[in-house]
Amino acid sequence: MCLAIPVRIEEIIDAETAIADIGGVRKEINVALIGDLYVGDYVIMHVGYALNKIDPEEAEKTLALFAELDELSQQQAIEGSL
């Protein structure tokens, strides 16, 4: 199974490299496949490569769902250990 996640561009280093915020972690990613990229843009990232730009509202919705899933998973882990 492959997973691509939305990430926010925090800094552009050069035409092929940028720093992205991935759940609060800053990571260098390859952005060579995307033209016209700016700080604050959201992209879909898979294995360190930005594949395409996405709408900021959709990115925020997806990230909120991931956070909700994480919270539910943590609650289930706590309840399972009781």
Side-chain angles (χ1 to χ4, degrees):
M1 175 169 79
C2 296
L3 178 63
I5 58 172
V7 299
R8 184 176 185 275
I9 301 299
E10 298 289 322
E11 177 183 343
I12 297 174
I13 297 172
D14 57 37
E16 294 187 2
T17 313
I19 301 294
D21 180 315
I22 306 167
V25 175
R26 291 171 52 96
K27 178 174 173 47
E28 190 174 298
I29 65 171
N30 186 298
V31 294
L33 299 174
I34 301 177
D36 203 29
L37 187 66
Y38 299 98
V39 170
D41 284 345
Y42 283 88
V43 297
I44 292 291
M45 182 196 73
H46 175 65
V47 294
Y49 288 84
L51 302 177
N52 63 300
K53 287 170 54 170
I54 60 171
D55 178 71
E57 288 181 24
E58 289 302 315
E60 292 291 346
K61 287 179 189 177
T62 302
L63 291 170
L65 287 172
F66 282 149
E68 187 177 336
L69 284 171
D70 183 49
E71 185 177 314
L72 289 171
S73 176
Q74 289 179 18
Q75 286 176 354
Q76 286 180 340
I78 290 169
E79 290 171 2
S81 67
L82 296 178

